[in-house]
Amino acid sequence: MATTTQRERIATLESAIDAHDREHELLERLWTQRLIAIEDRLANIEEALQTRLGAPLSNARLSKRDVGLASGSAALATIAWLLLEQLGALAARGG
């Protein structure tokens, strides 16, 4: 059985930590772009409604925080749904 040295284990852990950090950075950039796209779509919808109604809508607008909370909640719900699907599939295979 091959054993690894302490330096090899440390290098492996450092590599895993770096990969994890890069993944978080990528996800943060991805969600930022998604939120920007959502904000742009909402602005376009608001503009279209103002044009059709012929009157400005109220000054109340969604803040980036509101959109972020909604998107984050949707992401968590999606993750929970996928997890439940996987657990259901595992349960179906097991018994």
Side-chain angles (χ1 to χ4, degrees):
M1 174 159 67
T3 60
T4 58
T5 65
Q6 183 174 3
R7 284 186 184 182
E8 290 171 331
R9 289 191 301 266
I10 290 172
T12 301
L13 287 173
E14 287 174 345
S15 176
I17 290 170
D18 289 343
H20 186 73
D21 289 344
R22 285 191 304 272
E23 181 182 358
H24 274 279
E25 182 182 330
L26 177 63
L27 286 174
E28 183 178 334
R29 285 190 281 152
L30 177 66
W31 277 106
T32 299
Q33 290 303 314
R34 285 182 177 178
L35 292 176
I36 289 169
I38 290 169
E39 188 176 59
D40 290 344
R41 280 184 273 172
L42 289 174
N44 289 338
I45 291 169
E46 183 179 28
E47 184 179 322
L49 286 173
Q50 286 178 355
T51 302
R52 283 190 177 191
L53 296 174
L57 299 174
S58 71
N59 289 333
R61 292 182 57 111
L62 287 175
S63 69
K64 286 185 180 183
R65 180 182 175 276
D66 295 332
V67 175
L69 286 173
S71 297
S73 297
L76 289 174
T78 301
I79 291 169
W81 182 262
L82 292 172
L83 180 62
L84 288 174
E85 280 185 343
Q86 292 298 318
L87 290 174
L90 285 173
R93 278 189 249 156

